Amino acid sequence: MITKYLALPGPTEVNPEIMLEISKPIFNHRNVIFKDLLERVTEKTQKLLNTKNEVYFLTASGTGAMECAIVNTLSKNDKILALINGSFGQRFADIAKQYGADVIEFHGEWGKGFELDKIKKIIDELGDNLKGITVVHCETSTGVLNDIEAISKLRCSDKTLLLVDGISSIGAVKVEVDKWNIDVILTGSQKVLALPPGLAIIAFSSKAIKAYEESDMPKYYWDIGKYRKFYIENRETPYTPAIPLFVGLLKQLEVLEEKGFDQEIKKHEKIANMVRYAIRAIGLELLNDDDIAANTVTPIKVPDGIDLKQLRKILLEKYSVDVAGGQGKLEGKIFRIGHLGNVEPLFIISILAALEMALKELGFEFEVGRGVKAAQEFWINNLK
Amino acid sequence: MITKYLALPGPTEVNPEIMLEISKPIFNHRNVIFKDLLERVTEKTQKLLNTKNEVYFLTASGTGAMECAIVNTLSKNDKILALINGSFGQRFADIAKQYGADVIEFHGEWGKGFELDKIKKIIDELGDNLKGITVVHCETSTGVLNDIEAISKLRCSDKTLLLVDGISSIGAVKVEVDKWNIDVILTGSQKVLALPPGLAIIAFSSKAIKAYEESDMPKYYWDIGKYRKFYIENRETPYTPAIPLFVGLLKQLEVLEEKGFDQEIKKHEKIANMVRYAIRAIGLELLNDDDIAANTVTPIKVPDGIDLKQLRKILLEKYSVDVAGGQGKLEGKIFRIGHLGNVEPLFIISILAALEMALKELGFEFEVGRGVKAAQEFWINNLK
């Protein structure tokens, strides 16, 4: 049984047109076809990220790219500030600690944006001693979109690097790598880019590359120096790349570019709003305020008297709809509807309709159809 | 342009039947479908490896799995013996050095098997102080199949771990993980298993798991403790896995098991012999003696007066045949025909025919057709 409706914050559905590309015969990653492909996906990814920074591709999940960001730019005992308001912010901190960085954890409330004035104070106190800041753009575990541009501006020293996990934001939300002075940013193939999982993307600023030269953390597979050398000299990757995902990525970037990268961001905005209006109309409570809510995933509080396991089971077994549960502190307290990548309004209508029916079955009191109607109305009013 | 004949030691051609499986819609890696899949690929991989050891899957290339082997079992300053007779043996040593192991490099001649008596002497001298031995089973860069069973027996201390790179051997050559007392062995999806690249497999003995508990090398993405915990508790992977490759792997393991894992080994033996007989009949020289030659890749010396770049260019552009060059010390001196995974006799005949025609075009003197004929004769005489 394959789930028909994948309403997760990743992995996301792959467009059949893209899957056809991915299914083409394997070829040699040391030959001219791949070199050309690698150069083209690099250029297009730079456009997507609004950057001239160097872009590299790893055969890995997003967590691998987080580790790659840490071990290439930091050294043991480097003081870094880890901004944490969810489980992925914590992950960034944990990786840095594992490699011996001196990590100052700043904990924000889960589901809320950061209090920037408090962060500013810490940064100012540390001054030149602060080597880096780690932060997650879209904190998938809580649905919060952190304000990277504002956080970037808090730095008071040229020495402080900004390392950003853009796994669930890139492509769905404006990301201005150069304008925002992001030193390292990374994402995975299975999120907004809507490819199968298995490929991670990471971009390094010239400041980050300089930090690499001084970094003493051990690394081999993640050693970006090898990726640079192989790319510059031969347009190759140092180790066997996930070839089919490169073919799919080029096609997907072409499709997105043709639609317009900004149009995709607007699409995600509209769809997120449809979901939020609908959830409120049903009478459920959102975890986030709208001003900090990400357009890629919507966390919803589990209402009193509803058994989340039952709800997810009915959704999956009766309607073939897979929504995500909560993570970490929020496990059992929220469920999350992912709406990123290839999602379209009618897909969302289907998810909402199934959610309403499952809630009804579990005895939640509301007027069936209200959520769907709210989504339709938002859509009608916002058709261009 | 896609190369039709991929005569490489990986990546290898993917069977269209398997590619169809891989192209199925993406599903949730935290749901029951994946849990069942993970359990089944684990059991079948154990059968393939002849082991009861714990098997884990990484979203990575084979090199990532080599790093995973090192950082999970060793500690800084641990004395290890790296057996090196090619570029992958060197890679294992380099990874261990990068993480601060005290690496004693034993260099064998490239293209030859190891002199076991010399190795035995070193091992005996080190005794209990020797924490581990790293060795590559099939040294892809030179075509040598190292004798893992014999090397395993050289250990004089229970404390010494045996870490084996089985990337280009597993599936094509007998690998008895339990009988040979291998502590860690690893492979990649794009070799004999004939899947697209992007998935690595690694198996740990109980002795290796015990070593993990004491290991102090930094790790996060490779931390096998997390893989163990997630597998034992939930039949999950800690980070998003390369879902389609798991679907393909299960199907491929089913196909191979039905044919018989031993039959596949015999097929690789026959095909390797066809290639060797043919190459000698053409009048070219093999790099390896037959008794140490791997059944997955055949390195051939570039004859005097032949420009290797020209040869590979003609093969690729005129015949759509992609053979590999040499690596490291052997770059420019050899070329390599890979014959692993889904290769069949008639595929080999095609490669040999193209090679003959390309050599003729470049002025190499021999009777066209002799190589193909030798391969056919070997095949006729060895049809069951």
Side-chain angles (χ1 to χ4, degrees), chain A residues 1 8 11 23 26 28-29 31 33 59-61 63-64 67 91 95 98 190 197 218-222 240-241 322, chain B residues 1 6 8 11 23 28-29 31 33 59-61 64 67 91 95 98 190 197 218-222 239-241 322:
Chain A
M1 180 206 52
L8 304 170
S23 308
I26 299 296
N28 186 355
H29 59 292
N31 247 325
I33 316 165
T59 304
S61 308
T63 302
E67 187 162 334
R91 182 171 293 183
I95 296 170
Q98 177 57 223
Q190 81 281 16
K219 51 198 160 268
Y220 193 93
Y221 190 73
W222 309 126
T240 313
D322 200 348
Chain B
M1 184 206 50
L6 216 58
L8 304 170
S23 308
N28 186 356
H29 59 291
N31 247 326
I33 315 166
T59 304
S61 308
E67 188 161 333
R91 182 172 293 182
I95 295 170
Q98 178 57 223
Q190 80 281 15
K219 52 198 160 267
Y220 193 92
Y221 190 73
W222 309 128
Y239 318 118
T240 313
D322 201 347

Side-chain angles (χ1 to χ4, degrees), chain A residues 200-218:
Chain A
I201 304 175
I202 189 161
F204 288 81
S205 71
S206 55
K207 205 167 107 191
I209 294 291
K210 224 167 144 185
Y212 164 83
E213 306 291 346
E214 291 158 17
S215 155
D216 70 2
M217 284 183 179

Side-chain angles (χ1 to χ4, degrees), chain B residues 69-137:
Chain B
I70 297 287
V71 298
N72 281 292
T73 56
L74 302 179
S75 292
K76 263 159 269 172
N77 303 316
D78 271 352
K79 226 179 256 307
I80 72 156
L81 178 64
L83 305 182
I84 302 166
N85 58 352
S87 56
F88 292 96
Q90 186 64 56
R91 182 172 293 182
F92 233 154
D94 290 346
I95 295 170
K97 282 191 277 184
Q98 178 57 223
Y99 280 87
D102 180 4
V103 181
I104 299 153
E105 294 190 357
F106 178 87
H107 288 271
E109 196 179 333
W110 285 39
K112 306 271 180 224
F114 287 114
E115 294 172 285
L116 296 182
D117 50 338
K118 287 190 183 167
I119 295 173
K120 176 70 181 155
K121 226 180 121 195
I122 300 172
I123 291 175
D124 285 345
E125 276 165 20
L126 290 164
D128 262 11
N129 291 322
L130 184 63
K131 181 67 184 289
I133 299 169
T134 61
V135 64
V136 178
H137 193 190

Side-chain angles (χ1 to χ4, degrees), chain B residues 140-308:
Chain B
T140 319
S141 60
T142 64
V144 170
L145 190 78
N146 288 312
D147 187 344
I148 301 301
E149 187 176 15
I151 290 166
S152 178
K153 286 182 182 157
L154 299 179
R155 284 178 290 181
C156 60
S157 165
D158 280 352
K159 294 195 175 162
T160 309
L161 299 164
L162 183 63
L163 313 181
V164 179
D165 165 353
I167 293 177
S168 299
S169 68
I170 289 172
V173 175
K174 196 140 197 88
V175 179
E176 292 270 7
V177 172
D178 287 355
K179 219 194 268 176
W180 299 353
N181 280 310
I182 296 172
D183 294 298
V184 182
I185 192 162
L186 54 98
T187 190
S189 54
Q190 80 281 15
K191 302 284 183 174
V192 187
L193 292 169
L195 297 168
L199 187 72
I201 304 175
I202 189 162
F204 288 80
S205 71
S206 55
K207 205 168 107 192
I209 293 292
K210 222 167 149 187
Y212 164 83
E213 307 291 347
E214 290 157 17
S215 154
D216 71 1
M217 285 185 180
K219 52 198 160 267
Y220 193 92
Y221 190 73
W222 309 128
D223 188 340
I224 217 64
K226 292 209 186 68
Y227 288 82
R228 295 192 79 207
K229 187 172 147 55
F230 272 73
Y231 186 77
I232 292 166
E233 290 179 3
N234 281 314
R235 297 289 188 260
E236 283 182 13
T237 57
Y239 318 118
T240 313
I243 299 166
L245 296 181
F246 282 84
V247 182
L249 178 58
L250 179 60
K251 182 76 184 172
Q252 183 70 306
L253 287 170
E254 282 170 357
V255 168
L256 294 178
E257 197 179 13
E258 203 179 321
K259 286 188 192 170
F261 291 140
D262 285 345
Q263 273 312 110
E264 279 299 292
I265 293 171
K266 280 185 195 147
K267 181 196 87 175
H268 280 86
E269 270 171 23
K270 270 188 208 170
I271 284 177
N273 273 307
M274 282 175 64
V275 174
R276 287 176 211 142
Y277 276 73
I279 293 300
R280 288 190 177 117
I282 291 171
L284 294 170
E285 203 181 333
L286 297 169
L287 181 71
N288 313 128
D289 292 336
D290 285 5
D291 60 332
I292 52 104
N295 290 330
T296 47
V297 53
T298 297
I300 300 151
K301 292 185 187 170
V302 179
D304 289 341
I306 296 294
D307 180 336
L308 179 55

